Amino acid sequence: MPLLGFGVYQNYDARPSVLEALKAGYRHIDSAQAYKNEGAVGEAVKVSGVPREELFITTKCVSKTHGYDSTLKGVDESLERFGFEYIDLFLIHDPFSGTERRLATYKALLDAQAAGKIRSVGVSNYAVKHLDEIKNAGLQIPAVNQIELHPFCQQRPIVEYCRAHSIVIQAYCPLVRGRMDHPVIQAITNKYGRDPAQVLIRWSLQKGFVPLPKSATPTRIRSNANVYDFELTPEEMGQLDSLDLGKEGAISWNPVDAP
């Protein structure tokens, strides 16, 4: 899995931005059934000239589609929309469907993995109790947990659990949806002469997360990928770490408290 992904949430005309991202060097695209752009992502991949095997494509199934049979059907429908023979990572998008349907959905994804339709199975917005649910059922531990993560919402108990169980942590909303005017962020930005978004992506990478910045603007798409020629100091990382507001810092739906 490439360490930097390209998100396409609320990008209903994703073809041009995905093409731009692929030209800029991104090889990891994060989509979802609910985003209604799997087809556009697939079209961009097809015309990009980048070999499919060099790409890492993620999609997700939202709670209203959960259930064993409906999930298997959804996997086939996603493959058809993408125009792919396989999907690299398939996530349960949220935990709202309850224990029984969550586990049935997860078992369906494991069976789709065994059938070669998907390469890896993971979850999104799962708290420790949801992850324990899978573990206690005797099922394979998820490869990934994708959660809201940025300096203002660090979800530390979930991160600690994932690290203890070798679950890759993907970070959505890494750019705080553009709310990057905090003095700490601005001071670091000015020191390095970088964009605030680049500082936040560096923070995420240095924390060991897989950030998924999104943009439909070509200059920002390229700028967000230009983050490997500088590094934040331990002091600067600590300053950003100190901004954590816990759940109060969330800017997205962040449904980790679902029963």
Side-chain angles (χ1 to χ4, degrees), residues 49-233:
V50 179
R52 172 67 184 91
E53 60 271 16
E54 293 182 11
L55 300 175
F56 191 95
I57 310 295
T58 300
T59 195
K60 319 174 191 75
C61 57
V62 76
S63 55
K64 68 179 181 180
T65 70
H66 289 178
Y68 185 86
D69 291 337
S70 56
T71 297
L72 288 180
K73 181 173 181 285
V75 169
D76 288 339
E77 290 171 346
S78 286
L79 285 168
E80 184 175 354
R81 284 190 291 267
F82 278 123
F84 297 159
E85 294 183 359
Y86 66 92
I87 294 164
D88 296 278
L89 175 64
F90 211 113
L91 306 179
I92 296 178
H93 203 153
D94 66 83
F96 280 133
S97 60
T99 297
E100 183 177 351
R101 289 177 66 204
R102 283 194 296 261
L103 289 176
T105 301
Y106 193 75
K107 289 174 183 176
L109 292 178
L110 292 177
D111 286 347
Q113 181 185 32
K117 296 180 179 181
I118 57 182
R119 296 283 176 87
S120 300
V121 175
V123 295
S124 182
N125 297 298
Y126 267 42
V128 169
K129 63 183 177 182
H130 306 124
L131 295 166
D132 266 338
E133 182 177 273
I134 293 172
K135 181 182 176 183
N136 294 337
L139 298 174
Q140 171 185 306
I141 295 295
V144 166
N145 188 15
Q146 183 182 125
I147 56 177
E148 179 176 342
L149 276 176
H150 46 76
F152 304 106
C153 180
Q154 297 181 36
Q155 312 222 62
R156 296 181 184 185
I158 303 175
V159 168
E160 289 172 7
Y161 183 100
C162 289
R163 285 179 171 155
H165 292 81
S166 299
I167 299 170
V168 173
I169 305 160
Q170 292 185 339
Y172 72 77
C173 292
L175 306 184
V176 208
R177 291 185 174 168
R179 304 174 193 178
M180 300 179 279
D181 58 351
H182 192 282
V184 169
I185 297 173
Q186 290 298 315
I188 298 172
T189 294
N190 292 336
K191 173 186 172 181
Y192 291 102
R194 313 297 296 229
D195 294 334
Q198 293 173 318
V199 169
L200 290 174
I201 293 170
R202 275 305 315 178
W203 176 85
S204 195
L205 289 170
Q206 289 179 220
K207 295 290 286 188
F209 306 147
V210 178
L212 305 168
K214 72 182 186 73
S215 178
T217 306
T219 54
R220 290 178 183 165
I221 290 171
R222 293 182 176 274
S223 174
N224 291 345
N226 183 25
V227 292
Y228 295 101
D229 58 350
F230 78 107
E231 184 173 339
L232 304 179
T233 67

